Amino acid sequence: MVLKVYGNPASPCTRTVTMVCKELNLPYEVVVIDFTKGEHKLPEYIKKQPFGQIPYIDDDGFVLYESRAIARYLASKYANADTAILYPSDFQGRALVEQAASIEAFNFYPSVYGAVSERIFKPAFRGQPTDETRLQEHLSALNPKLDAYDKILDTQKYLTGDNFTLADLFHIAYSALLEQAGLGSLFESRPNVARWWKDIAARESWLAVKDAA
Ligand SMILES: N[C@@H](CCC(=O)N[C@@H](CS)C(=O)NCC(=O)O)C(=O)O
């Protein structure tokens, strides 16, 4: 049975999962959950994803939610010799990916999500204005983190070294939203971050899913 991705092609978390499928050349089918109609809050959906969020996957009866966990599962199960580098299986290679994935989850995503919420999600989906004070708080938190990214990327091409891995991929969907929110100068003002973002934003896997709606 082809892998089913329950999500929405317009959602960043769904795109993270479909990007991994593209990287792995893994066929998949998106079962569209219309969150404008609240389909992710219906009882049958909550049975699969108790937090009422998209996406989750059904891999021949195995159900899994949380986009980053799904990415790790797919890259562990479906990698071949050419794609194994996405999520290396040797102890040190994997530890470096986990280190950079933790940076994304704890130093990057919270502020980026907050900023994107203020600039895009609140006005577009919640009928609320941007709270400029909160936006500035998110940007103040993010700026020193991005300075550290710029230092890391001064001596290596990607966050774990010479190769693109899941840790880089985890940044893509929300970084694109940051640009869309008019905050691209956060990247452009840092030469190494700018070079890294230009590189990862040109991945075929991202180009394949980024405009799906
Ligand atoms: N940590 C979760 C977050 C999932 C998430 O926030 N999904 C968003 C769409 S990108 C969603 O379902 N939002 C609706 C809601 O939280 O009610 C993951 O990575 O899968």
Side-chain angles (χ1 to χ4, degrees):
M1 192 181 83
V2 69
L3 176 79
K4 287 204 167 77
V5 180
Y6 290 78
N8 192 300
S11 102
C13 309
T14 303
R15 287 175 176 171
T16 292
V17 169
T18 51
M19 233 189 301
V20 174
C21 294
K22 297 282 184 195
E23 289 283 344
L24 296 168
N25 295 313
L26 177 66
Y28 64 92
E29 176 194 332
V30 175
V31 180
V32 177
I33 304 298
D34 187 345
F35 49 84
T36 63
K37 293 189 186 145
E39 287 178 359
H40 55 314
K41 304 297 180 192
L42 295 176
E44 60 268 34
Y45 188 87
I46 299 283
K47 275 188 204 152
K48 307 287 188 183
Q49 212 295 7
F51 299 91
Q53 293 180 315
I54 57 173
Y56 75 85
I57 60 162
D58 183 334
D59 183 25
D60 208 11
F62 177 64
V63 171
L64 190 68
Y65 54 84
E66 281 295 329
S67 58
R68 297 169 187 80
I70 295 168
R72 288 172 168 96
Y73 165 75
L74 295 176
S76 301
K77 181 171 177 188
Y78 291 108
N80 59 28
D82 292 334
T83 55
I85 197 67
L86 265 185
Y87 195 42
S89 55
D90 68 285
F91 293 141
Q92 294 186 353
R94 183 153 294 193
L96 289 173
V97 174
E98 292 301 344
Q99 174 178 259
S102 290
I103 294 170
E104 186 275 334
F106 299 107
N107 289 339
F108 182 86
Y109 174 81
S111 309
V112 171
Y113 177 82
V116 166
S117 290
E118 290 301 336
R119 273 276 167 92
I120 300 180
F121 297 156
K122 278 172 72 172
F125 304 123
R126 297 178 209 152
Q128 295 168 357
T130 298
D131 180 332
E132 291 296 337
T133 306
R134 294 198 67 180
L135 175 61
Q136 288 312 318
E137 283 167 6
H138 292 304
L139 299 182
S140 297
L142 185 57
N143 265 306
K145 310 291 186 191
L146 288 177
D147 288 340
Y149 272 70
D150 209 50
K151 286 202 182 78
I152 294 167
L153 291 164
D154 187 33
T155 53
Q156 56 194 55
K157 194 169 175 197
Y158 298 104
L159 291 175
T160 57
D162 292 336
N163 298 302
F164 176 86
T165 70
L166 285 187
D168 301 290
L169 185 150
F170 289 164
H171 289 76
I172 296 178
Y174 269 97
S175 294
L177 284 175
L178 203 61
E179 265 193 336
Q180 199 183 312
L183 298 167
S185 62
L186 289 163
F187 287 178
E188 286 152 22
S189 59
R190 295 172 169 90
N192 303 308
V193 173
R195 186 252 314 140
W196 167 76
W197 170 236
K198 192 168 171 221
D199 180 324
I200 65 176
R203 293 292 292 187
E204 299 250 323
S205 59
W206 174 240
L207 300 180
V209 305
K210 79 185 186 78
D211 294 321

